[in-house]
Amino acid sequence: DRKADAVFDLVAVAPAKPGPGAASGVAARRNAEHVMRSLTNMGLPPSRVTLSATNSGQIQANEVHLYVR
């Protein structure tokens, strides 16, 4: 409500070299989709969220990053 024009980038991040707990980017993407559903269930219009996926050599397990633009 405070910043009605804010838009968000939701990024599924998977390890570049998956370990036992992070078999693939599919799990990271699924987690990001769950976050997206939670945001829309709280009333955020889906048009204000961009969903993407990437890999990172800096992490050991799947992560979901949310950025405000």
Side-chain angles (χ1 to χ4, degrees), residues 1 34-45 66:
D1 288 341
H34 181 75
V35 171
M36 174 79 152
R37 276 192 303 277
S38 294
L39 291 170
T40 58
N41 286 342
M42 288 188 280
L44 183 67
L66 181 63

Side-chain angles (χ1 to χ4, degrees), residues 15-64:
K17 295 181 181 178
S24 72
V26 173
R29 178 88 179 185
R30 192 174 317 122
N31 292 341
E33 290 169 351
H34 181 75
V35 171
M36 174 79 152
R37 276 192 303 277
S38 294
L39 291 170
T40 58
N41 286 342
M42 288 188 280
L44 183 67
S47 62
R48 292 180 41 201
V49 182
T50 302
L51 182 62
S52 63
T54 190
N55 293 340
S56 172
Q58 304 298 317
I59 63 170
Q60 301 297 315
N62 293 322
E63 297 180 0
V64 176

